[in-house]
Amino acid sequence: MRKGWIVSALIAVSLLFFFAANPLGIMAWNSWFGIVQRADDVTSYKTQKKVEDTCRSMIASYEADRLIYEQYKDSSDEEKQSWAEQAKMRANKTASSYNNYILENSFVWGANVPHDIAGKLEYLT
C-alpha cells in the first residue's frame, strides 16, 4: 500500500515538473488548451457577440476620427489643422489595432462575416 502512494506521488511530481518546468511540457499544455479554447470560441455566441461588438466600436471610433480629419485637414486655422493631425493619428492607431484584431479573431465567423464588419480599415495618409 505504501509503495503505491510513493509511485503515485513520483508520477504526480514528474508530470508537474514536465508541464510546469519543461518548455516542451508548457508548449504541449498551451497547445492543448489553445485548441480547446478555439473550439469553444467558434461555437460560442458570447464570444462571437463580444468580437462583433468590439469591431463595431472600433469602426465607430475610426469613422469619427476620419471625419474630423477630413473636416479640418485643409483648414487655414493652425489649431484646426492640429485637431486634424491628432484625429489622423488616432484613426491610424485604431486601424492598426482593428486590422490585427480581425486577423486574430477571424476564426470566430469562418466565412460568415457580418455585412457591417469591414475586413480591413485603411490608413489615412
Side-chain angles (χ1 to χ4, degrees):
M1 184 72 170
R2 186 176 182 113
K3 206 176 201 183
W5 280 99
I6 292 173
V7 170
S8 297
L10 284 174
I11 290 172
V13 168
S14 297
L15 287 174
L16 180 65
F17 177 75
F18 179 76
F19 285 112
N22 183 347
L24 291 175
I26 293 170
M27 184 179 69
W29 181 271
N30 289 341
S31 176
W32 168 254
F33 283 102
I35 291 168
V36 170
Q37 182 64 45
R38 183 170 281 229
D40 287 346
D41 286 347
V42 167
T43 59
S44 172
Y45 173 74
K46 228 178 187 178
T47 301
Q48 184 175 351
K49 181 166 177 18
K50 178 183 168 253
V51 170
E52 287 178 9
D53 289 347
T54 301
C55 287
R56 287 184 181 107
S57 69
M58 292 174 93
I59 290 170
S61 175
Y62 171 83
E63 286 299 323
D65 288 330
R66 186 185 64 79
L67 290 173
I68 290 170
Y69 171 71
E70 294 294 329
Q71 181 177 0
Y72 294 120
K73 71 179 180 179
D74 297 324
S75 175
S76 58
D77 185 3
E78 197 173 298
E79 183 179 17
K80 289 181 180 177
Q81 285 181 351
S82 172
W83 295 347
E85 279 303 309
Q86 291 171 13
K88 177 182 170 184
M89 286 188 285
R90 285 192 308 269
N92 286 339
K93 184 175 187 293
T94 302
S96 176
S97 298
Y98 178 87
N99 293 339
N100 287 333
Y101 190 76
I102 285 290
L103 285 175
E104 293 170 359
N105 293 286
S106 61
F107 68 91
V108 171
W109 299 295
N112 300 322
V113 180
H115 64 86
D116 62 330
I117 305 283
K120 180 181 180 184
L121 293 180
E122 298 298 323
Y123 293 105
L124 303 178
T125 55

